[in-house]
Amino acid sequence: TLLHAPRRRCMLDDVPPHYANDRDVIGKVAHLAMVDDDNVARVLSWHMGNDMDCCITTTTEKAMSVNEQCGGRQQMLALDSIYKRALPAWDKQLPHARVLREPRGNPQFVKHYLKFSAREEECRQVFALLLGEVIVLDTLADAAYYRQHLAQHTRCPTLLTREGDRIRSTGKFGGAQNKAPPLDKLRVVFGAPPPERLTILNHQIEMLQSL
């Protein structure tokens, strides 16, 4: 069935059970979003690295409480500690718009591949902070071309590729430090969303039940 069809899942441990219904504990970064595309899920999960295990709360007080309960071993980030005016707009234009008419490699902000099942506005703040303006393109050659031309006019953000490469915002690339391992070798990975057909069926069931 659609419900039980195999799909990529995030296997990272969740927050302690007694926080499950606490509205001030939003959850760990890896659980806040899903990514449909396997190639993007691979490179993005690897790029975010240790951030995936960070627990997000609404307040600093709650972050301190969770950190204490976990013996100081849990990474924490509180939304009330973020300077929100400095966050990049979610729907801003790609930086090449004025300087590169025909970019190669289908550039997109990688954050636009994220799908949220709950608390979307808060999740957008988290990923805007952690990802900034990271862009994903098809290949390393596409990314190198993009950076080469963009850097002549403005700052170039970190670039990822659908083949698993990374060009850092400094321009550095290559080596094992800038190549994602295969998807099945990653310790933590974003899960895949349910099939679109299942989402539509669930919506139709909810509508029928409300009649």
Side-chain angles (χ1 to χ4, degrees), residues 46-169:
W46 162 77
H47 171 69
M48 295 198 71
N50 291 332
D51 285 342
M52 297 284 275
D53 184 53
C54 185
C55 181
I56 311 300
T57 63
T58 59
T59 68
T60 298
E61 288 75 16
K62 181 59 69 172
M64 295 293 290
S65 173
V66 175
N67 183 58
E68 183 178 353
Q69 287 288 323
C70 295
R73 295 184 299 274
Q74 176 61 57
Q75 292 187 91
M76 303 299 306
L77 174 62
L79 291 184
D80 69 357
S81 71
I82 297 174
Y83 182 56
K84 297 178 178 59
R85 290 185 179 182
L87 297 178
W90 194 261
D91 296 317
K92 72 175 296 183
Q93 197 174 44
L94 284 161
H96 72 261
R98 296 182 180 179
V99 300
L100 195 58
R101 291 185 178 181
E102 297 183 3
R104 303 172 184 172
N106 304 303
Q108 296 288 337
F109 284 124
V110 73
K111 62 190 177 186
H112 290 167
Y113 283 87
L114 300 169
K115 296 185 177 181
F116 307 114
S117 59
R119 307 182 74 155
E120 182 168 348
E121 183 57 35
E122 292 165 316
C123 290
R124 284 189 174 195
Q125 292 176 15
V126 172
F127 286 99
L129 174 71
L130 297 179
L131 286 175
E133 299 179 358
V134 174
I135 294 170
V136 64
L137 301 97
D138 288 342
T139 69
L140 181 59
D142 294 328
Y145 176 86
Y146 190 90
R147 179 178 176 85
Q148 178 187 13
H149 287 78
L150 187 62
Q152 296 175 22
H153 303 276
T154 187
R155 183 188 69 85
C156 184
T158 293
L159 305 177
L160 305 177
T161 79
R162 297 176 179 91
E163 294 182 342
D165 306 285
R166 176 173 60 196
I167 301 181
R168 297 176 184 268
S169 60

Side-chain angles (χ1 to χ4, degrees), residues 9-79:
R9 297 182 183 278
C10 179
M11 305 306 292
L12 181 68
D13 290 340
D14 210 337
V15 294
H18 54 277
Y19 289 116
N21 297 315
D22 190 330
R23 288 289 297 174
D24 287 329
V25 179
I26 301 173
K28 292 186 178 181
V29 168
H31 298 145
L32 300 186
M34 295 172 286
V35 179
D36 202 8
D37 186 298
D38 282 346
N39 294 323
V40 175
R42 170 198 171 201
V43 71
L44 178 57
S45 300
W46 162 77
H47 171 69
M48 295 198 71
N50 291 332
D51 285 342
M52 297 284 275
D53 184 53
C54 185
C55 181
I56 311 300
T57 63
T58 59
T59 68
T60 298
E61 288 75 16
K62 181 59 69 172
M64 295 293 290
S65 173
V66 175
N67 183 58
E68 183 178 353
Q69 287 288 323
C70 295
R73 295 184 299 274
Q74 176 61 57
Q75 292 187 91
M76 303 299 306
L77 174 62
L79 291 184

Side-chain angles (χ1 to χ4, degrees), residues 197-210:
R197 186 180 170 197
L198 179 60
T199 303
I200 293 172
L201 287 173
N202 286 337
H203 180 64
Q204 291 172 338
I205 290 171
E206 289 175 2
M207 290 183 64
L208 289 172
Q209 290 175 338
S210 66

